[in-house]
Amino acid sequence: MEKKIYVLDMDDDATATKVESAVKAVSGVNSVVASAAKCQIFVDIDDTAEDAVNAAIESCGVTIIG
């Protein structure tokens, strides 16, 4: 399942890289791209990984909106 996740507080490339690394470590993630410029994270995940992906994102100090 492909998802676009909008976030707050991902203000620079370093934070985007941190978020990408955290999300990639989640079991069930096939791919992830974080864009600080657009405050978006594109992720391709298994249906069972959504909660773990959200937790990984928020563990980086980034807030999910929507």
Side-chain angles (χ1 to χ4, degrees), residues 50-63:
E50 188 170 0
D51 290 339
V53 166
N54 290 343
I57 292 168
E58 291 183 343
S59 75
C60 297
V62 177
T63 304

Side-chain angles (χ1 to χ4, degrees), residues 33-61:
V33 176
S35 171
K38 295 183 179 181
C39 294
Q40 297 175 347
I41 302 164
F42 295 96
V43 64
D44 182 15
I45 57 174
D46 296 340
D47 291 339
T48 59
E50 188 170 0
D51 290 339
V53 166
N54 290 343
I57 292 168
E58 291 183 343
S59 75
C60 297

